[in-house]
PDB file of all heavy atoms in Angstrom:
ATOM      1  N   LEU A  11      95.134  97.110  12.993  1.00 92.00           N
ATOM      2  CA  LEU A  11      96.567  97.133  13.267  1.00 92.00           C
ATOM      3  C   LEU A  11      96.827  97.353  14.754  1.00 92.00           C
ATOM      4  O   LEU A  11      96.115  98.117  15.411  1.00 92.00           O
ATOM      5  CB  LEU A  11      97.248  98.259  12.472  1.00 92.00           C
ATOM      6  CG  LEU A  11      97.105  98.254  10.949  1.00 92.00           C
ATOM      7  CD1 LEU A  11      97.867  99.430  10.360  1.00 92.00           C
ATOM      8  CD2 LEU A  11      97.602  96.954  10.362  1.00 92.00           C
ATOM      9  N   ARG A  12      97.848  96.686  15.257  1.00 92.00           N
ATOM     10  CA  ARG A  12      98.393  96.949  16.592  1.00 92.00           C
ATOM     11  C   ARG A  12      99.909  96.925  16.448  1.00 92.00           C
ATOM     12  O   ARG A  12     100.548  95.861  16.519  1.00 92.00           O
ATOM     13  CB  ARG A  12      97.911  95.914  17.603  1.00 92.00           C
ATOM     14  CG  ARG A  12      96.449  96.038  17.962  1.00 92.00           C
ATOM     15  CD  ARG A  12      96.108  95.277  19.240  1.00 92.00           C
ATOM     16  NE  ARG A  12      96.319  93.848  19.073  1.00 92.00           N
ATOM     17  CZ  ARG A  12      95.403  93.006  18.609  1.00 92.00           C
ATOM     18  NH1 ARG A  12      94.199  93.461  18.264  1.00 92.00           N
ATOM     19  NH2 ARG A  12      95.657  91.726  18.499  1.00 92.00           N
ATOM     20  N   LEU A  13     100.467  98.112  16.219  1.00 90.00           N
ATOM     21  CA  LEU A  13     101.893  98.222  15.896  1.00 90.00           C
ATOM     22  C   LEU A  13     102.540  99.219  16.842  1.00 90.00           C
ATOM     23  O   LEU A  13     102.428 100.437  16.642  1.00 90.00           O
ATOM     24  CB  LEU A  13     102.089  98.676  14.440  1.00 90.00           C
ATOM     25  CG  LEU A  13     101.415  97.828  13.358  1.00 90.00           C
ATOM     26  CD1 LEU A  13     101.597  98.481  11.994  1.00 90.00           C
ATOM     27  CD2 LEU A  13     101.980  96.416  13.360  1.00 90.00           C
ATOM     28  N   PRO A  14     103.218  98.774  17.875  1.00 90.00           N
ATOM     29  CA  PRO A  14     103.933  99.701  18.749  1.00 90.00           C
ATOM     30  C   PRO A  14     105.112 100.329  18.016  1.00 90.00           C
ATOM     31  O   PRO A  14     105.680  99.734  17.096  1.00 90.00           O
ATOM     32  CB  PRO A  14     104.401  98.806  19.904  1.00 90.00           C
ATOM     33  CG  PRO A  14     104.452  97.432  19.317  1.00 90.00           C
ATOM     34  CD  PRO A  14     103.364  97.369  18.304  1.00 90.00           C
ATOM     35  N   GLU A  15     105.473 101.524  18.419  1.00 85.00           N
ATOM     36  CA  GLU A  15     106.584 102.217  17.779  1.00 85.00           C
ATOM     37  C   GLU A  15     107.921 101.695  18.294  1.00 85.00           C
ATOM     38  O   GLU A  15     108.029 101.188  19.405  1.00 85.00           O
ATOM     39  CB  GLU A  15     106.483 103.723  18.030  1.00 85.00           C
ATOM     40  CG  GLU A  15     105.250 104.363  17.417  1.00 85.00           C
ATOM     41  CD  GLU A  15     105.227 105.858  17.652  1.00 85.00           C
ATOM     42  OE1 GLU A  15     106.162 106.359  18.323  1.00 85.00           O
ATOM     43  OE2 GLU A  15     104.280 106.517  17.181  1.00 85.00           O
ATOM     44  N   GLY A  16     108.925 101.848  17.436  1.00 81.00           N
ATOM     45  CA  GLY A  16     110.289 101.536  17.869  1.00 81.00           C
ATOM     46  C   GLY A  16     110.684 100.083  17.796  1.00 81.00           C
ATOM     47  O   GLY A  16     111.668  99.685  18.411  1.00 81.00           O
ATOM     48  N   LEU A  17     109.925  99.250  17.029  1.00 86.00           N
ATOM     49  CA  LEU A  17     110.316  97.847  16.867  1.00 86.00           C
ATOM     50  C   LEU A  17     111.364  97.750  15.763  1.00 86.00           C
ATOM     51  O   LEU A  17     111.077  97.983  14.598  1.00 86.00           O
ATOM     52  CB  LEU A  17     109.092  97.005  16.510  1.00 86.00           C
ATOM     53  CG  LEU A  17     108.109  96.694  17.633  1.00 86.00           C
ATOM     54  CD1 LEU A  17     106.957  95.856  17.112  1.00 86.00           C
ATOM     55  CD2 LEU A  17     108.811  95.974  18.776  1.00 86.00           C
ATOM     56  N   LEU A  18     112.581  97.412  16.144  1.00 89.00           N
ATOM     57  CA  LEU A  18     113.681  97.309  15.192  1.00 89.00           C
ATOM     58  C   LEU A  18     114.112  95.852  15.078  1.00 89.00           C
ATOM     59  O   LEU A  18     114.412  95.208  16.084  1.00 89.00           O
ATOM     60  CB  LEU A  18     114.867  98.170  15.634  1.00 89.00           C
ATOM     61  CG  LEU A  18     114.617  99.679  15.736  1.00 89.00           C
ATOM     62  CD1 LEU A  18     115.862 100.395  16.210  1.00 89.00           C
ATOM     63  CD2 LEU A  18     114.168 100.220  14.385  1.00 89.00           C
ATOM     64  N   ALA A  19     114.140  95.351  13.859  1.00 89.00           N
ATOM     65  CA  ALA A  19     114.565  93.979  13.616  1.00 89.00           C
ATOM     66  C   ALA A  19     115.509  93.971  12.426  1.00 89.00           C
ATOM     67  O   ALA A  19     115.574  94.928  11.640  1.00 89.00           O
ATOM     68  CB  ALA A  19     113.355  93.083  13.341  1.00 89.00           C
ATOM     69  N   ARG A  20     116.244  92.896  12.287  1.00 86.00           N
ATOM     70  CA  ARG A  20     117.117  92.726  11.125  1.00 86.00           C
ATOM     71  C   ARG A  20     116.336  91.989  10.045  1.00 86.00           C
ATOM     72  O   ARG A  20     115.950  90.833  10.217  1.00 86.00           O
ATOM     73  CB  ARG A  20     118.373  91.960  11.505  1.00 86.00           C
ATOM     74  CG  ARG A  20     119.343  92.737  12.373  1.00 86.00           C
ATOM     75  CD  ARG A  20     120.664  92.002  12.529  1.00 86.00           C
ATOM     76  NE  ARG A  20     121.304  91.756  11.242  1.00 86.00           N
ATOM     77  CZ  ARG A  20     122.037  92.649  10.578  1.00 86.00           C
ATOM     78  NH1 ARG A  20     122.222  93.867  11.091  1.00 86.00           N
ATOM     79  NH2 ARG A  20     122.584  92.356   9.433  1.00 86.00           N
ATOM     80  N   ALA A  21     116.118  92.674   8.933  1.00 86.00           N
ATOM     81  CA  ALA A  21     115.350  92.083   7.838  1.00 86.00           C
ATOM     82  C   ALA A  21     115.626  92.880   6.576  1.00 86.00           C
ATOM     83  O   ALA A  21     116.166  93.988   6.619  1.00 86.00           O
ATOM     84  CB  ALA A  21     113.848  92.076   8.148  1.00 86.00           C
ATOM     85  N   THR A  22     115.266  92.291   5.454  1.00 83.00           N
ATOM     86  CA  THR A  22     115.348  92.977   4.162  1.00 83.00           C
ATOM     87  C   THR A  22     113.984  93.562   3.850  1.00 83.00           C
ATOM     88  O   THR A  22     112.985  92.826   3.874  1.00 83.00           O
ATOM     89  CB  THR A  22     115.762  91.997   3.051  1.00 83.00           C
ATOM     90  OG1 THR A  22     116.991  91.365   3.420  1.00 83.00           O
ATOM     91  CG2 THR A  22     115.937  92.710   1.728  1.00 83.00           C
ATOM     92  N   PRO A  23     113.879  94.862   3.583  1.00 85.00           N
ATOM     93  CA  PRO A  23     112.553  95.476   3.382  1.00 85.00           C
ATOM     94  C   PRO A  23     111.701  94.768   2.339  1.00 85.00           C
ATOM     95  O   PRO A  23     110.531  94.479   2.583  1.00 85.00           O
ATOM     96  CB  PRO A  23     112.899  96.908   2.949  1.00 85.00           C
ATOM     97  CG  PRO A  23     114.243  97.169   3.548  1.00 85.00           C
ATOM     98  CD  PRO A  23     114.959  95.857   3.515  1.00 85.00           C
ATOM     99  N   ALA A  24     112.286  94.462   1.176  1.00 81.00           N
ATOM    100  CA  ALA A  24     111.487  93.853   0.112  1.00 81.00           C
ATOM    101  C   ALA A  24     110.984  92.468   0.520  1.00 81.00           C
ATOM    102  O   ALA A  24     109.838  92.107   0.246  1.00 81.00           O
ATOM    103  CB  ALA A  24     112.320  93.750  -1.167  1.00 81.00           C
ATOM    104  N   ARG A  25     111.839  91.695   1.179  1.00 82.00           N
ATOM    105  CA  ARG A  25     111.426  90.344   1.589  1.00 82.00           C
ATOM    106  C   ARG A  25     110.326  90.402   2.644  1.00 82.00           C
ATOM    107  O   ARG A  25     109.356  89.638   2.582  1.00 82.00           O
ATOM    108  CB  ARG A  25     112.637  89.581   2.116  1.00 82.00           C
ATOM    109  CG  ARG A  25     113.683  89.233   1.048  1.00 82.00           C
ATOM    110  CD  ARG A  25     114.907  88.611   1.685  1.00 82.00           C
ATOM    111  NE  ARG A  25     115.932  88.327   0.684  1.00 82.00           N
ATOM    112  CZ  ARG A  25     117.192  88.003   0.986  1.00 82.00           C
ATOM    113  NH1 ARG A  25     117.565  87.935   2.257  1.00 82.00           N
ATOM    114  NH2 ARG A  25     118.065  87.760   0.022  1.00 82.00           N
ATOM    115  N   LEU A  26     110.495  91.297   3.619  1.00 88.00           N
ATOM    116  CA  LEU A  26     109.483  91.396   4.675  1.00 88.00           C
ATOM    117  C   LEU A  26     108.149  91.842   4.091  1.00 88.00           C
ATOM    118  O   LEU A  26     107.097  91.282   4.418  1.00 88.00           O
ATOM    119  CB  LEU A  26     109.956  92.373   5.750  1.00 88.00           C
ATOM    120  CG  LEU A  26     108.963  92.626   6.890  1.00 88.00           C
ATOM    121  CD1 LEU A  26     108.682  91.329   7.636  1.00 88.00           C
ATOM    122  CD2 LEU A  26     109.505  93.690   7.849  1.00 88.00           C
ATOM    123  N   ARG A  27     108.168  92.859   3.213  1.00 87.00           N
ATOM    124  CA  ARG A  27     106.921  93.348   2.622  1.00 87.00           C
ATOM    125  C   ARG A  27     106.245  92.251   1.817  1.00 87.00           C
ATOM    126  O   ARG A  27     105.023  92.090   1.865  1.00 87.00           O
ATOM    127  CB  ARG A  27     107.213  94.557   1.729  1.00 87.00           C
ATOM    128  CG  ARG A  27     107.693  95.774   2.491  1.00 87.00           C
ATOM    129  CD  ARG A  27     108.241  96.837   1.540  1.00 87.00           C
ATOM    130  NE  ARG A  27     107.171  97.396   0.726  1.00 87.00           N
ATOM    131  CZ  ARG A  27     106.498  98.490   1.051  1.00 87.00           C
ATOM    132  NH1 ARG A  27     106.765  99.137   2.179  1.00 87.00           N
ATOM    133  NH2 ARG A  27     105.553  98.958   0.265  1.00 87.00           N
ATOM    134  N   GLU A  28     107.030  91.492   1.062  1.00 85.00           N
ATOM    135  CA  GLU A  28     106.432  90.440   0.245  1.00 85.00           C
ATOM    136  C   GLU A  28     105.867  89.319   1.120  1.00 85.00           C
ATOM    137  O   GLU A  28     104.787  88.797   0.861  1.00 85.00           O
ATOM    138  CB  GLU A  28     107.476  89.873  -0.709  1.00 85.00           C
ATOM    139  CG  GLU A  28     106.981  88.745  -1.597  1.00 85.00           C
ATOM    140  CD  GLU A  28     105.879  89.184  -2.538  1.00 85.00           C
ATOM    141  OE1 GLU A  28     105.744  90.404  -2.770  1.00 85.00           O
ATOM    142  OE2 GLU A  28     105.141  88.308  -3.032  1.00 85.00           O
ATOM    143  N   ALA A  29     106.601  88.928   2.165  1.00 88.00           N
ATOM    144  CA  ALA A  29     106.124  87.847   3.032  1.00 88.00           C
ATOM    145  C   ALA A  29     104.823  88.248   3.736  1.00 88.00           C
ATOM    146  O   ALA A  29     103.861  87.470   3.766  1.00 88.00           O
ATOM    147  CB  ALA A  29     107.203  87.490   4.061  1.00 88.00           C
ATOM    148  N   ILE A  30     104.770  89.471   4.277  1.00 91.00           N
ATOM    149  CA  ILE A  30     103.541  89.922   4.931  1.00 91.00           C
ATOM    150  C   ILE A  30     102.421  90.070   3.908  1.00 91.00           C
ATOM    151  O   ILE A  30     101.252  89.773   4.191  1.00 91.00           O
ATOM    152  CB  ILE A  30     103.793  91.249   5.680  1.00 91.00           C
ATOM    153  CG1 ILE A  30     104.889  91.061   6.739  1.00 91.00           C
ATOM    154  CG2 ILE A  30     102.507  91.734   6.334  1.00 91.00           C
ATOM    155  CD1 ILE A  30     104.575  89.991   7.766  1.00 91.00           C
ATOM    156  N   GLY A  31     102.774  90.523   2.708  1.00 89.00           N
ATOM    157  CA  GLY A  31     101.773  90.614   1.651  1.00 89.00           C
ATOM    158  C   GLY A  31     101.175  89.262   1.308  1.00 89.00           C
ATOM    159  O   GLY A  31      99.967  89.141   1.062  1.00 89.00           O
ATOM    160  N   VAL A  32     102.005  88.215   1.297  1.00 89.00           N
ATOM    161  CA  VAL A  32     101.496  86.861   1.040  1.00 89.00           C
ATOM    162  C   VAL A  32     100.521  86.441   2.133  1.00 89.00           C
ATOM    163  O   VAL A  32      99.457  85.867   1.850  1.00 89.00           O
ATOM    164  CB  VAL A  32     102.668  85.864   0.936  1.00 89.00           C
ATOM    165  CG1 VAL A  32     102.158  84.422   0.961  1.00 89.00           C
ATOM    166  CG2 VAL A  32     103.467  86.108  -0.335  1.00 89.00           C
ATOM    167  N   LEU A  33     100.860  86.728   3.390  1.00 92.00           N
ATOM    168  CA  LEU A  33      99.986  86.349   4.491  1.00 92.00           C
ATOM    169  C   LEU A  33      98.664  87.116   4.443  1.00 92.00           C
ATOM    170  O   LEU A  33      97.594  86.544   4.708  1.00 92.00           O
ATOM    171  CB  LEU A  33     100.690  86.588   5.829  1.00 92.00           C
ATOM    172  CG  LEU A  33     101.964  85.756   6.071  1.00 92.00           C
ATOM    173  CD1 LEU A  33     102.588  86.106   7.416  1.00 92.00           C
ATOM    174  CD2 LEU A  33     101.675  84.262   5.984  1.00 92.00           C
ATOM    175  N   LEU A  34      98.705  88.399   4.109  1.00 92.00           N
ATOM    176  CA  LEU A  34      97.466  89.176   3.988  1.00 92.00           C
ATOM    177  C   LEU A  34      96.635  88.702   2.802  1.00 92.00           C
ATOM    178  O   LEU A  34      95.397  88.646   2.882  1.00 92.00           O
ATOM    179  CB  LEU A  34      97.797  90.666   3.852  1.00 92.00           C
ATOM    180  CG  LEU A  34      98.381  91.334   5.097  1.00 92.00           C
ATOM    181  CD1 LEU A  34      98.790  92.767   4.792  1.00 92.00           C
ATOM    182  CD2 LEU A  34      97.390  91.299   6.248  1.00 92.00           C
ATOM    183  N   ASP A  35      97.299  88.358   1.713  1.00 90.00           N
ATOM    184  CA  ASP A  35      96.575  87.826   0.554  1.00 90.00           C
ATOM    185  C   ASP A  35      95.928  86.485   0.901  1.00 90.00           C
ATOM    186  O   ASP A  35      94.800  86.194   0.473  1.00 90.00           O
ATOM    187  CB  ASP A  35      97.538  87.668  -0.618  1.00 90.00           C
ATOM    188  CG  ASP A  35      96.848  87.122  -1.855  1.00 90.00           C
ATOM    189  OD1 ASP A  35      95.980  87.816  -2.415  1.00 90.00           O
ATOM    190  OD2 ASP A  35      97.175  85.989  -2.271  1.00 90.00           O
ATOM    191  N   ASN A  36      96.642  85.670   1.676  1.00 88.00           N
ATOM    192  CA  ASN A  36      96.078  84.390   2.104  1.00 88.00           C
ATOM    193  C   ASN A  36      94.838  84.608   2.983  1.00 88.00           C
ATOM    194  O   ASN A  36      93.831  83.902   2.842  1.00 88.00           O
ATOM    195  CB  ASN A  36      97.144  83.598   2.871  1.00 88.00           C
ATOM    196  CG  ASN A  36      96.683  82.200   3.226  1.00 88.00           C
ATOM    197  OD1 ASN A  36      96.601  81.318   2.372  1.00 88.00           O
ATOM    198  ND2 ASN A  36      96.381  81.985   4.500  1.00 88.00           N
ATOM    199  N   ALA A  37      94.908  85.622   3.873  1.00 90.00           N
ATOM    200  CA  ALA A  37      93.740  85.933   4.712  1.00 90.00           C
ATOM    201  C   ALA A  37      92.578  86.468   3.882  1.00 90.00           C
ATOM    202  O   ALA A  37      91.411  86.189   4.166  1.00 90.00           O
ATOM    203  CB  ALA A  37      94.139  86.957   5.775  1.00 90.00           C
ATOM    204  N   LEU A  38      92.888  87.229   2.834  1.00 91.00           N
ATOM    205  CA  LEU A  38      91.836  87.759   1.970  1.00 91.00           C
ATOM    206  C   LEU A  38      91.166  86.648   1.172  1.00 91.00           C
ATOM    207  O   LEU A  38      89.933  86.627   1.028  1.00 91.00           O
ATOM    208  CB  LEU A  38      92.441  88.806   1.023  1.00 91.00           C
ATOM    209  CG  LEU A  38      91.521  89.364  -0.066  1.00 91.00           C
ATOM    210  CD1 LEU A  38      90.348  90.104   0.556  1.00 91.00           C
ATOM    211  CD2 LEU A  38      92.300  90.286  -0.995  1.00 91.00           C
ATOM    212  N   ARG A  39      91.956  85.717   0.661  1.00 87.00           N
ATOM    213  CA  ARG A  39      91.419  84.665  -0.209  1.00 87.00           C
ATOM    214  C   ARG A  39      90.700  83.579   0.576  1.00 87.00           C
ATOM    215  O   ARG A  39      89.648  83.095   0.163  1.00 87.00           O
ATOM    216  CB  ARG A  39      92.553  84.035  -1.030  1.00 87.00           C
ATOM    217  CG  ARG A  39      93.152  84.954  -2.080  1.00 87.00           C
ATOM    218  CD  ARG A  39      94.357  84.282  -2.729  1.00 87.00           C
ATOM    219  NE  ARG A  39      94.970  85.118  -3.742  1.00 87.00           N
ATOM    220  CZ  ARG A  39      94.638  85.086  -5.035  1.00 87.00           C
ATOM    221  NH1 ARG A  39      93.704  84.256  -5.457  1.00 87.00           N
ATOM    222  NH2 ARG A  39      95.252  85.881  -5.901  1.00 87.00           N
ATOM    223  N   HIS A  40      91.281  83.157   1.697  1.00 87.00           N
ATOM    224  CA  HIS A  40      90.791  81.963   2.380  1.00 87.00           C
ATOM    225  C   HIS A  40      90.161  82.259   3.742  1.00 87.00           C
ATOM    226  O   HIS A  40      89.599  81.337   4.339  1.00 87.00           O
ATOM    227  CB  HIS A  40      91.944  80.964   2.570  1.00 87.00           C
ATOM    228  CG  HIS A  40      92.672  80.652   1.294  1.00 87.00           C
ATOM    229  ND1 HIS A  40      92.078  80.019   0.230  1.00 87.00           N
ATOM    230  CD2 HIS A  40      93.960  80.898   0.914  1.00 87.00           C
ATOM    231  CE1 HIS A  40      92.960  79.875  -0.750  1.00 87.00           C
ATOM    232  NE2 HIS A  40      94.113  80.404  -0.354  1.00 87.00           N
ATOM    233  N   GLY A  41      90.305  83.502   4.235  1.00 89.00           N
ATOM    234  CA  GLY A  41      89.779  83.813   5.552  1.00 89.00           C
ATOM    235  C   GLY A  41      88.461  84.572   5.487  1.00 89.00           C
ATOM    236  O   GLY A  41      87.885  84.796   4.432  1.00 89.00           O
ATOM    237  N   GLU A  42      88.002  84.969   6.655  1.00 90.00           N
ATOM    238  CA  GLU A  42      86.751  85.721   6.774  1.00 90.00           C
ATOM    239  C   GLU A  42      86.914  86.748   7.878  1.00 90.00           C
ATOM    240  O   GLU A  42      87.832  86.660   8.710  1.00 90.00           O
ATOM    241  CB  GLU A  42      85.574  84.786   7.110  1.00 90.00           C
ATOM    242  CG  GLU A  42      85.254  83.754   6.040  1.00 90.00           C
ATOM    243  CD  GLU A  42      84.141  82.807   6.474  1.00 90.00           C
ATOM    244  OE1 GLU A  42      83.637  82.981   7.609  1.00 90.00           O
ATOM    245  OE2 GLU A  42      83.803  81.899   5.701  1.00 90.00           O
TER     246      GLU A  42
END
């Protein structure tokens, strides 16, 4: 992780978590 503090964006928590979860799942399934 490289996550600086204080990053504020306009988003819906559930949508953002699900979208990032899809990308991490894609990296787990198809990446190395």
Side-chain angles (χ1 to χ4, degrees):
L11 302 181
R12 289 197 296 272
L13 305 175
E15 296 182 358
L17 285 180
L18 298 179
R20 289 189 59 82
T22 305
R25 292 174 182 168
L26 177 62
R27 293 168 68 93
E28 179 63 19
I30 301 302
V32 168
L33 297 179
L34 291 174
D35 180 66
N36 186 74
L38 173 63
R39 291 174 180 269
H40 307 296
E42 296 176 0

